[in-house]
Short mmCIF file of all heavy atoms in Angstrom, two decimals:
data_model
loop_
_atom_site.label_atom_id
_atom_site.label_comp_id
_atom_site.label_asym_id
_atom_site.label_seq_id
_atom_site.Cartn_x
_atom_site.Cartn_y
_atom_site.Cartn_z
N MET U 1 -14.44 11.41 0.65
CA MET U 1 -13.98 10.35 -0.19
C MET U 1 -13.92 9.01 0.43
O MET U 1 -13.44 8.94 1.45
CB MET U 1 -12.69 10.73 -0.75
CG MET U 1 -12.13 9.83 -1.92
SD MET U 1 -10.56 10.40 -2.53
CE MET U 1 -10.20 9.00 -3.54
N GLU U 2 -14.38 8.05 -0.27
CA GLU U 2 -14.43 6.61 0.30
C GLU U 2 -12.92 6.10 0.19
O GLU U 2 -12.19 6.36 -0.70
CB GLU U 2 -15.24 5.83 -0.59
CG GLU U 2 -15.40 4.37 -0.25
CD GLU U 2 -16.26 3.53 -1.08
OE1 GLU U 2 -17.12 4.07 -1.81
OE2 GLU U 2 -16.06 2.29 -1.13
N ASP U 3 -12.58 5.33 1.27
CA ASP U 3 -11.27 4.68 1.23
C ASP U 3 -11.18 3.65 0.01
O ASP U 3 -12.03 2.72 0.04
CB ASP U 3 -10.81 3.82 2.47
CG ASP U 3 -10.74 4.96 3.65
OD1 ASP U 3 -10.48 6.11 3.34
OD2 ASP U 3 -10.61 4.48 4.76
N ILE U 4 -10.22 3.72 -0.88
CA ILE U 4 -10.15 2.97 -1.89
C ILE U 4 -9.21 1.68 -1.72
O ILE U 4 -9.50 0.66 -2.16
CB ILE U 4 -9.74 3.70 -3.27
CG1 ILE U 4 -10.72 4.77 -3.48
CG2 ILE U 4 -9.48 2.84 -4.41
CD1 ILE U 4 -10.33 5.85 -4.64
N ASN U 5 -8.11 2.07 -1.07
CA ASN U 5 -7.15 0.91 -0.86
C ASN U 5 -7.02 0.58 0.69
O ASN U 5 -7.38 1.45 1.55
CB ASN U 5 -5.74 1.37 -1.42
CG ASN U 5 -5.02 2.28 -0.57
OD1 ASN U 5 -4.71 2.21 0.52
ND2 ASN U 5 -4.61 3.44 -1.29
N ARG U 6 -6.43 -0.61 0.95
CA ARG U 6 -6.33 -1.06 2.30
C ARG U 6 -4.89 -1.12 2.64
O ARG U 6 -4.42 -1.91 3.56
CB ARG U 6 -6.91 -2.48 2.39
CG ARG U 6 -8.42 -2.65 2.11
CD ARG U 6 -8.88 -4.03 2.21
NE ARG U 6 -8.71 -4.41 3.66
CZ ARG U 6 -7.87 -5.35 4.08
NH1 ARG U 6 -7.05 -6.00 3.30
NH2 ARG U 6 -7.86 -5.80 5.31
N LEU U 7 -4.03 -0.34 2.06
CA LEU U 7 -2.63 -0.30 2.29
C LEU U 7 -2.17 -0.22 3.65
O LEU U 7 -1.39 -1.00 4.19
CB LEU U 7 -1.88 0.74 1.32
CG LEU U 7 -0.44 0.57 1.18
CD1 LEU U 7 0.07 -0.86 0.78
CD2 LEU U 7 0.15 1.64 0.24
N LYS U 8 -2.72 0.76 4.38
CA LYS U 8 -2.45 1.03 5.66
C LYS U 8 -2.79 -0.22 6.64
O LYS U 8 -1.88 -0.61 7.50
CB LYS U 8 -3.22 2.22 6.28
CG LYS U 8 -2.83 2.70 7.61
CD LYS U 8 -3.55 3.89 8.07
CE LYS U 8 -3.26 4.42 9.38
NZ LYS U 8 -3.95 5.58 9.72
N ILE U 9 -3.86 -0.83 6.42
CA ILE U 9 -4.16 -1.98 7.09
C ILE U 9 -3.30 -3.16 6.95
O ILE U 9 -2.88 -3.80 7.89
CB ILE U 9 -5.75 -2.37 6.80
CG1 ILE U 9 -6.67 -1.23 7.23
CG2 ILE U 9 -6.12 -3.62 7.51
CD1 ILE U 9 -8.04 -1.28 6.64
N VAL U 10 -2.96 -3.39 5.68
CA VAL U 10 -2.11 -4.54 5.29
C VAL U 10 -0.66 -4.24 5.91
O VAL U 10 -0.08 -5.28 6.45
CB VAL U 10 -2.10 -4.85 3.88
CG1 VAL U 10 -1.11 -5.91 3.51
CG2 VAL U 10 -3.52 -5.17 3.41
N LEU U 11 -0.23 -3.06 5.84
CA LEU U 11 1.09 -2.69 6.52
C LEU U 11 1.17 -3.10 8.04
O LEU U 11 2.03 -3.73 8.42
CB LEU U 11 1.48 -1.32 6.28
CG LEU U 11 2.02 -0.88 4.86
CD1 LEU U 11 2.02 0.64 4.76
CD2 LEU U 11 3.30 -1.53 4.66
N VAL U 12 0.03 -2.74 8.68
CA VAL U 12 -0.04 -3.09 10.02
C VAL U 12 -0.07 -4.64 10.31
O VAL U 12 0.56 -5.07 11.13
CB VAL U 12 -1.31 -2.40 10.73
CG1 VAL U 12 -1.54 -2.94 12.21
CG2 VAL U 12 -1.07 -0.91 10.77
N GLU U 13 -0.86 -5.33 9.43
CA GLU U 13 -0.98 -6.67 9.58
C GLU U 13 0.34 -7.40 9.42
O GLU U 13 0.70 -8.36 10.00
CB GLU U 13 -1.98 -7.25 8.56
CG GLU U 13 -3.43 -6.89 8.91
CD GLU U 13 -4.50 -7.33 7.84
OE1 GLU U 13 -4.11 -7.66 6.67
OE2 GLU U 13 -5.62 -7.18 8.10
N LYS U 14 1.10 -6.85 8.43
CA LYS U 14 2.39 -7.38 8.15
C LYS U 14 3.55 -6.90 9.00
O LYS U 14 4.78 -7.26 8.80
CB LYS U 14 2.79 -7.21 6.65
CG LYS U 14 1.80 -7.93 5.66
CD LYS U 14 2.03 -9.45 5.74
CE LYS U 14 1.15 -10.17 4.75
NZ LYS U 14 1.46 -11.62 4.76
N LYS U 15 3.21 -5.98 9.91
CA LYS U 15 4.24 -5.33 10.81
C LYS U 15 5.27 -4.65 10.03
O LYS U 15 6.51 -4.84 10.28
CB LYS U 15 4.72 -6.43 11.73
CG LYS U 15 3.75 -7.02 12.67
CD LYS U 15 4.37 -8.00 13.58
CE LYS U 15 3.45 -8.54 14.74
NZ LYS U 15 2.31 -9.11 14.35
N LYS U 16 4.88 -3.90 9.08
CA LYS U 16 5.75 -3.09 8.12
C LYS U 16 5.34 -1.63 8.25
O LYS U 16 4.18 -1.41 8.68
CB LYS U 16 5.61 -3.57 6.62
CG LYS U 16 6.00 -4.91 6.41
CD LYS U 16 7.41 -5.22 6.58
CE LYS U 16 7.76 -6.66 6.18
NZ LYS U 16 9.18 -7.03 6.44
N THR U 17 6.26 -0.74 7.92
CA THR U 17 5.95 0.67 8.04
C THR U 17 5.96 1.21 6.56
O THR U 17 6.35 0.60 5.72
CB THR U 17 7.13 1.39 8.83
OG1 THR U 17 8.25 1.29 8.00
CG2 THR U 17 7.22 0.85 10.17
N GLY U 18 5.20 2.36 6.57
CA GLY U 18 5.11 3.09 5.28
C GLY U 18 6.56 3.54 4.80
O GLY U 18 6.84 3.43 3.63
N LYS U 19 7.38 3.81 5.65
CA LYS U 19 8.83 4.11 5.43
C LYS U 19 9.49 3.00 4.84
O LYS U 19 10.20 3.08 3.82
CB LYS U 19 9.52 4.55 6.74
CG LYS U 19 11.04 4.92 6.40
CD LYS U 19 11.62 5.44 7.61
CE LYS U 19 13.16 5.87 7.33
NZ LYS U 19 13.86 6.18 8.54
N TRP U 20 9.25 1.73 5.39
CA TRP U 20 9.89 0.54 4.77
C TRP U 20 9.38 0.38 3.31
O TRP U 20 10.13 0.07 2.38
CB TRP U 20 9.47 -0.69 5.61
CG TRP U 20 10.03 -2.04 4.98
CD1 TRP U 20 11.19 -2.51 5.04
CD2 TRP U 20 9.17 -2.81 4.16
NE1 TRP U 20 11.18 -3.65 4.31
CE2 TRP U 20 9.95 -3.95 3.67
CE3 TRP U 20 7.81 -2.79 3.74
CZ2 TRP U 20 9.44 -4.92 2.95
CZ3 TRP U 20 7.39 -3.85 2.88
CH2 TRP U 20 8.17 -4.90 2.48
N LEU U 21 8.10 0.46 3.14
CA LEU U 21 7.48 0.31 1.85
C LEU U 21 8.05 1.30 0.92
O LEU U 21 8.44 1.03 -0.30
CB LEU U 21 5.99 0.37 1.81
CG LEU U 21 5.34 0.07 0.53
CD1 LEU U 21 5.66 -1.37 -0.10
CD2 LEU U 21 3.74 0.20 0.62
N ALA U 22 8.20 2.59 1.18
CA ALA U 22 8.76 3.71 0.34
C ALA U 22 10.21 3.28 -0.06
O ALA U 22 10.61 3.51 -1.19
CB ALA U 22 8.69 4.94 1.13
N GLU U 23 10.93 2.79 0.91
CA GLU U 23 12.39 2.42 0.58
C GLU U 23 12.34 1.33 -0.44
O GLU U 23 13.12 1.19 -1.41
CB GLU U 23 13.07 2.05 1.85
CG GLU U 23 13.33 3.22 2.79
CD GLU U 23 14.02 2.75 4.16
OE1 GLU U 23 14.06 1.42 4.36
OE2 GLU U 23 14.23 3.65 4.91
N GLN U 24 11.55 0.29 -0.30
CA GLN U 24 11.47 -0.92 -1.23
C GLN U 24 11.15 -0.31 -2.57
O GLN U 24 11.53 -0.97 -3.58
CB GLN U 24 10.44 -1.90 -0.55
CG GLN U 24 10.80 -2.50 0.78
CD GLN U 24 12.24 -3.13 0.84
OE1 GLN U 24 12.60 -3.88 -0.08
NE2 GLN U 24 13.08 -2.76 1.74
N LEU U 25 10.16 0.58 -2.65
CA LEU U 25 9.58 1.02 -3.94
C LEU U 25 10.37 2.18 -4.67
O LEU U 25 10.20 2.49 -5.82
CB LEU U 25 8.08 1.49 -3.75
CG LEU U 25 7.16 0.40 -3.36
CD1 LEU U 25 5.88 1.01 -3.12
CD2 LEU U 25 6.99 -0.68 -4.55
N GLY U 26 11.34 2.74 -3.88
CA GLY U 26 12.17 3.75 -4.35
C GLY U 26 11.24 5.02 -4.46
O GLY U 26 11.42 5.98 -5.26
N LYS U 27 10.21 5.23 -3.50
CA LYS U 27 9.35 6.36 -3.44
C LYS U 27 9.59 7.17 -2.14
O LYS U 27 10.25 6.77 -1.26
CB LYS U 27 7.86 5.98 -3.34
CG LYS U 27 7.53 4.97 -4.58
CD LYS U 27 7.28 5.84 -5.77
CE LYS U 27 6.81 4.89 -6.86
NZ LYS U 27 6.59 5.60 -8.16
N ASN U 28 9.10 8.39 -2.29
CA ASN U 28 9.16 9.31 -1.13
C ASN U 28 8.21 8.84 -0.09
O ASN U 28 7.14 8.48 -0.33
CB ASN U 28 8.89 10.78 -1.60
CG ASN U 28 9.07 11.76 -0.52
OD1 ASN U 28 8.67 11.61 0.53
ND2 ASN U 28 9.80 12.87 -0.97
N PRO U 29 8.63 8.80 1.29
CA PRO U 29 7.72 8.30 2.29
C PRO U 29 6.36 9.11 2.32
O PRO U 29 5.40 8.61 2.72
CB PRO U 29 8.55 8.52 3.58
CG PRO U 29 9.99 8.41 3.10
CD PRO U 29 10.02 9.09 1.69
N SER U 30 6.43 10.49 1.93
CA SER U 30 5.29 11.19 1.99
C SER U 30 4.23 10.77 0.93
O SER U 30 2.98 10.85 1.13
CB SER U 30 5.53 12.72 1.85
OG SER U 30 6.02 12.98 0.51
N THR U 31 4.75 10.27 -0.17
CA THR U 31 3.85 9.64 -1.14
C THR U 31 3.19 8.43 -0.67
O THR U 31 1.95 8.30 -0.91
CB THR U 31 4.72 9.26 -2.49
OG1 THR U 31 5.42 10.45 -2.97
CG2 THR U 31 3.87 8.75 -3.49
N VAL U 32 3.99 7.57 -0.05
CA VAL U 32 3.37 6.42 0.58
C VAL U 32 2.24 6.73 1.64
O VAL U 32 1.21 6.10 1.71
CB VAL U 32 4.35 5.34 1.06
CG1 VAL U 32 3.80 4.21 1.75
CG2 VAL U 32 5.25 4.90 0.06
N SER U 33 2.64 7.68 2.39
CA SER U 33 1.72 8.22 3.46
C SER U 33 0.35 8.72 2.85
O SER U 33 -0.64 8.36 3.32
CB SER U 33 2.34 9.31 4.23
OG SER U 33 1.44 9.89 5.14
N LYS U 34 0.37 9.33 1.63
CA LYS U 34 -0.75 9.85 1.05
C LYS U 34 -1.59 8.64 0.47
O LYS U 34 -2.77 8.58 0.57
CB LYS U 34 -0.40 10.64 -0.25
CG LYS U 34 0.11 12.01 0.17
CD LYS U 34 0.44 12.85 -1.02
CE LYS U 34 1.09 14.20 -0.51
NZ LYS U 34 1.56 14.86 -1.62
N TRP U 35 -0.93 7.47 0.06
CA TRP U 35 -1.71 6.33 -0.32
C TRP U 35 -2.33 5.68 0.91
O TRP U 35 -3.40 5.27 0.79
CB TRP U 35 -0.70 5.29 -0.95
CG TRP U 35 0.09 5.70 -2.18
CD1 TRP U 35 -0.28 6.69 -3.06
CD2 TRP U 35 1.21 5.15 -2.67
NE1 TRP U 35 0.63 6.75 -4.03
CE2 TRP U 35 1.61 5.72 -3.91
CE3 TRP U 35 2.04 4.00 -2.25
CZ2 TRP U 35 2.60 5.41 -4.55
CZ3 TRP U 35 3.14 3.70 -2.92
CH2 TRP U 35 3.53 4.37 -4.22
N CYS U 36 -1.53 5.66 2.07
CA CYS U 36 -2.11 5.00 3.26
C CYS U 36 -3.44 5.83 3.81
O CYS U 36 -4.27 5.15 4.36
CB CYS U 36 -1.14 4.88 4.24
SG CYS U 36 0.24 3.75 4.02
N SER U 37 -3.44 7.07 3.59
CA SER U 37 -4.49 7.84 3.99
C SER U 37 -5.57 8.05 2.90
O SER U 37 -6.54 8.82 3.18
CB SER U 37 -3.96 9.18 4.62
OG SER U 37 -3.36 9.98 3.59
N ASN U 38 -5.35 7.32 1.81
CA ASN U 38 -6.28 7.59 0.60
C ASN U 38 -6.48 8.90 0.15
O ASN U 38 -7.49 9.23 -0.42
CB ASN U 38 -7.63 6.83 1.04
CG ASN U 38 -7.56 5.42 0.94
OD1 ASN U 38 -7.57 4.81 -0.26
ND2 ASN U 38 -7.51 4.64 1.99
N VAL U 39 -5.47 9.71 0.29
CA VAL U 39 -5.53 11.06 -0.21
C VAL U 39 -5.07 10.97 -1.79
O VAL U 39 -5.58 11.68 -2.66
CB VAL U 39 -4.42 11.98 0.46
CG1 VAL U 39 -4.15 13.35 -0.36
CG2 VAL U 39 -4.92 12.22 1.92
N ALA U 40 -4.28 9.95 -2.12
CA ALA U 40 -3.77 9.71 -3.49
C ALA U 40 -3.72 8.20 -3.56
O ALA U 40 -3.85 7.50 -2.58
CB ALA U 40 -2.41 10.37 -3.70
N GLN U 41 -3.66 7.74 -4.79
CA GLN U 41 -3.62 6.23 -5.06
C GLN U 41 -2.39 5.90 -5.91
O GLN U 41 -2.00 6.66 -6.80
CB GLN U 41 -4.96 5.81 -5.79
CG GLN U 41 -6.25 6.02 -5.04
CD GLN U 41 -6.28 5.31 -3.73
OE1 GLN U 41 -5.84 4.30 -3.51
NE2 GLN U 41 -6.90 6.04 -2.76
N PRO U 42 -1.78 4.83 -5.61
CA PRO U 42 -0.65 4.38 -6.43
C PRO U 42 -1.18 3.83 -7.74
O PRO U 42 -2.38 3.37 -7.91
CB PRO U 42 -0.09 3.14 -5.72
CG PRO U 42 -1.19 2.68 -4.82
CD PRO U 42 -2.04 3.82 -4.58
N ASP U 43 -0.31 3.86 -8.84
CA ASP U 43 -0.72 3.36 -10.22
C ASP U 43 -0.76 1.91 -9.96
O ASP U 43 -0.28 1.21 -8.97
CB ASP U 43 0.21 3.82 -11.17
CG ASP U 43 1.69 3.46 -10.99
OD1 ASP U 43 1.94 2.28 -10.66
OD2 ASP U 43 2.57 4.24 -11.25
N LEU U 44 -1.30 1.23 -10.97
CA LEU U 44 -1.55 -0.32 -10.83
C LEU U 44 -0.21 -1.02 -10.77
O LEU U 44 -0.13 -1.96 -9.93
CB LEU U 44 -2.31 -0.71 -12.05
CG LEU U 44 -2.78 -2.24 -12.17
CD1 LEU U 44 -3.54 -2.62 -10.95
CD2 LEU U 44 -3.50 -2.56 -13.33
N ALA U 45 0.83 -0.66 -11.47
CA ALA U 45 2.07 -1.39 -11.42
C ALA U 45 2.69 -1.24 -10.05
O ALA U 45 3.21 -2.24 -9.54
CB ALA U 45 2.99 -0.81 -12.41
N THR U 46 2.55 -0.09 -9.43
CA THR U 46 3.11 0.04 -8.06
C THR U 46 2.24 -0.70 -7.00
O THR U 46 2.75 -1.23 -6.11
CB THR U 46 3.13 1.61 -7.64
OG1 THR U 46 3.85 2.33 -8.62
CG2 THR U 46 3.58 1.85 -6.27
N LEU U 47 1.03 -0.72 -7.34
CA LEU U 47 0.17 -1.55 -6.35
C LEU U 47 0.50 -3.04 -6.48
O LEU U 47 0.53 -3.68 -5.39
CB LEU U 47 -1.42 -1.28 -6.74
CG LEU U 47 -2.44 -1.67 -5.75
CD1 LEU U 47 -2.18 -0.91 -4.46
CD2 LEU U 47 -3.81 -1.66 -6.31
N VAL U 48 0.69 -3.55 -7.64
CA VAL U 48 1.06 -4.87 -7.84
C VAL U 48 2.63 -5.14 -7.14
O VAL U 48 2.66 -6.26 -6.42
CB VAL U 48 1.10 -5.32 -9.31
CG1 VAL U 48 1.79 -6.63 -9.59
CG2 VAL U 48 -0.20 -5.28 -9.82
N LYS U 49 3.43 -4.32 -7.30
CA LYS U 49 4.72 -4.46 -6.75
C LYS U 49 4.61 -4.43 -5.12
O LYS U 49 5.32 -5.21 -4.45
CB LYS U 49 5.67 -3.36 -7.17
CG LYS U 49 7.06 -3.51 -6.79
CD LYS U 49 8.07 -2.69 -7.37
CE LYS U 49 9.55 -3.06 -6.89
NZ LYS U 49 10.53 -2.17 -7.50
N SER U 50 3.71 -3.53 -4.66
CA SER U 50 3.54 -3.32 -3.26
C SER U 50 2.93 -4.78 -2.66
O SER U 50 3.38 -5.18 -1.65
CB SER U 50 2.55 -2.21 -2.81
OG SER U 50 3.01 -1.04 -3.31
N ALA U 51 2.01 -5.34 -3.42
CA ALA U 51 1.34 -6.60 -2.99
C ALA U 51 2.51 -7.65 -3.03
O ALA U 51 2.57 -8.40 -2.00
CB ALA U 51 0.29 -6.98 -3.95
N THR U 52 3.39 -7.67 -3.97
CA THR U 52 4.42 -8.69 -3.89
C THR U 52 5.35 -8.48 -2.67
O THR U 52 5.68 -9.46 -2.10
CB THR U 52 5.23 -8.47 -5.33
OG1 THR U 52 4.44 -8.74 -6.41
CG2 THR U 52 6.29 -9.56 -5.42
N LEU U 53 5.72 -7.23 -2.56
CA LEU U 53 6.70 -6.93 -1.35
C LEU U 53 5.99 -7.40 -0.02
O LEU U 53 6.62 -7.92 0.86
CB LEU U 53 6.96 -5.50 -1.25
CG LEU U 53 7.91 -4.97 -2.45
CD1 LEU U 53 7.93 -3.56 -2.53
CD2 LEU U 53 9.37 -5.64 -2.20
N LEU U 54 4.63 -7.18 0.09
CA LEU U 54 4.02 -7.44 1.23
C LEU U 54 3.47 -9.06 1.38
O LEU U 54 2.81 -9.38 2.26
CB LEU U 54 2.88 -6.50 1.44
CG LEU U 54 3.12 -5.16 1.75
CD1 LEU U 54 1.94 -4.20 1.61
CD2 LEU U 54 3.86 -4.98 3.17
N GLU U 55 3.71 -9.72 0.22
CA GLU U 55 3.26 -11.11 0.22
C GLU U 55 1.81 -11.29 0.36
O GLU U 55 1.34 -12.15 1.17
CB GLU U 55 4.24 -11.93 1.13
CG GLU U 55 5.57 -11.82 0.89
CD GLU U 55 6.44 -12.74 1.88
OE1 GLU U 55 5.97 -12.84 3.10
OE2 GLU U 55 7.58 -13.00 1.59
N VAL U 56 1.03 -10.53 -0.32
CA VAL U 56 -0.45 -10.64 -0.31
C VAL U 56 -0.85 -10.58 -1.80
O VAL U 56 -0.17 -10.14 -2.63
CB VAL U 56 -0.97 -9.42 0.47
CG1 VAL U 56 -0.72 -9.57 1.92
CG2 VAL U 56 -0.81 -8.15 -0.12
N ASP U 57 -2.00 -10.99 -2.02
CA ASP U 57 -2.77 -10.99 -3.33
C ASP U 57 -3.07 -9.37 -3.57
O ASP U 57 -3.53 -8.84 -2.54
CB ASP U 57 -3.91 -11.82 -3.35
CG ASP U 57 -4.56 -11.87 -4.69
OD1 ASP U 57 -5.00 -10.88 -5.32
OD2 ASP U 57 -4.49 -12.98 -5.32
N VAL U 58 -2.83 -8.93 -4.74
CA VAL U 58 -3.16 -7.53 -4.94
C VAL U 58 -4.58 -7.12 -4.58
O VAL U 58 -4.88 -6.05 -4.08
CB VAL U 58 -2.95 -7.09 -6.45
CG1 VAL U 58 -3.92 -7.64 -7.39
CG2 VAL U 58 -2.89 -5.56 -6.55
N GLN U 59 -5.57 -8.09 -4.62
CA GLN U 59 -6.90 -7.86 -4.20
C GLN U 59 -7.07 -7.59 -2.76
O GLN U 59 -8.09 -6.95 -2.44
CB GLN U 59 -7.78 -9.09 -4.66
CG GLN U 59 -7.98 -9.23 -6.10
CD GLN U 59 -8.86 -10.47 -6.53
OE1 GLN U 59 -9.36 -11.15 -5.57
NE2 GLN U 59 -8.93 -10.71 -7.68
N ASN U 60 -6.14 -7.99 -2.01
CA ASN U 60 -6.14 -7.60 -0.49
C ASN U 60 -5.88 -6.28 -0.29
O ASN U 60 -6.17 -5.82 0.86
CB ASN U 60 -5.10 -8.61 0.22
CG ASN U 60 -5.51 -9.92 0.24
OD1 ASN U 60 -6.76 -10.35 0.07
ND2 ASN U 60 -4.65 -10.89 0.57
N LEU U 61 -5.23 -5.57 -1.20
CA LEU U 61 -4.89 -4.15 -1.11
C LEU U 61 -6.21 -3.16 -1.63
O LEU U 61 -5.94 -2.01 -1.47
CB LEU U 61 -3.67 -3.82 -1.93
CG LEU U 61 -2.42 -4.44 -1.26
CD1 LEU U 61 -1.28 -4.12 -2.21
CD2 LEU U 61 -2.15 -4.15 0.18
N ILE U 62 -7.10 -3.79 -2.10
CA ILE U 62 -8.18 -2.93 -2.65
C ILE U 62 -9.47 -3.16 -2.05
O ILE U 62 -9.93 -4.37 -1.79
CB ILE U 62 -8.38 -3.26 -4.17
CG1 ILE U 62 -7.06 -3.05 -4.90
CG2 ILE U 62 -9.56 -2.41 -4.78
CD1 ILE U 62 -7.14 -3.57 -6.30
N ASN U 63 -10.24 -2.23 -1.47
CA ASN U 63 -11.49 -2.22 -0.88
C ASN U 63 -12.57 -2.64 -1.89
O ASN U 63 -12.58 -2.03 -3.03
CB ASN U 63 -11.92 -1.01 -0.17
CG ASN U 63 -11.38 -0.86 1.19
OD1 ASN U 63 -11.21 -1.93 1.91
ND2 ASN U 63 -11.17 0.35 1.71
N LYS U 64 -13.42 -3.55 -1.62
CA LYS U 64 -14.40 -3.98 -2.59
C LYS U 64 -15.57 -2.95 -2.51
O LYS U 64 -15.86 -2.52 -1.43
CB LYS U 64 -14.85 -5.35 -2.24
CG LYS U 64 -13.83 -6.37 -2.48
CD LYS U 64 -14.29 -7.77 -2.10
CE LYS U 64 -13.30 -8.92 -2.45
NZ LYS U 64 -12.10 -8.83 -1.86
N ALA U 65 -16.14 -2.65 -3.54
CA ALA U 65 -17.15 -1.75 -3.62
C ALA U 65 -18.44 -2.22 -2.98
O ALA U 65 -18.73 -3.38 -2.93
CB ALA U 65 -17.54 -1.29 -5.15
#
């Protein structure tokens, strides 16, 4: 499966952890881990909220086809 999101990369760039993001979103850290490894994808509202928390444009979290 092709990597759909860049969440893991942006977290590293912003010096944040998946655990931090999970706490901010009220999600289980294992859920965020699945997003980071592209095993699962967050819904659009969660992706937008993640972008806001990370202070990036939502387009920066999505790999272009």
Side-chain angles (χ1 to χ4, degrees):
M1 181 179 176
E2 181 182 336
D3 289 351
I4 296 171
N5 74 58
R6 299 182 64 248
L7 190 54
K8 183 176 183 178
I9 295 164
V10 175
L11 282 169
V12 170
E13 290 172 351
K14 294 292 184 171
K15 297 179 173 56
K16 302 288 186 187
T17 64
K19 182 179 177 184
W20 172 85
L21 185 60
E23 290 171 356
Q24 300 302 308
L25 294 172
K27 301 285 185 184
N28 189 308
S30 67
T31 300
V32 175
S33 177
K34 289 176 184 177
W35 299 341
C36 289
S37 60
N38 278 283
V39 170
Q41 300 301 321
D43 60 40
L44 184 57
T46 303
L47 196 63
V48 170
K49 188 168 182 183
S50 298
T52 301
L53 289 166
L54 293 166
E55 300 176 336
V56 297
D57 190 291
V58 71
Q59 292 181 7
N60 291 339
L61 296 179
I62 303 169
N63 274 333
K64 294 178 175 54

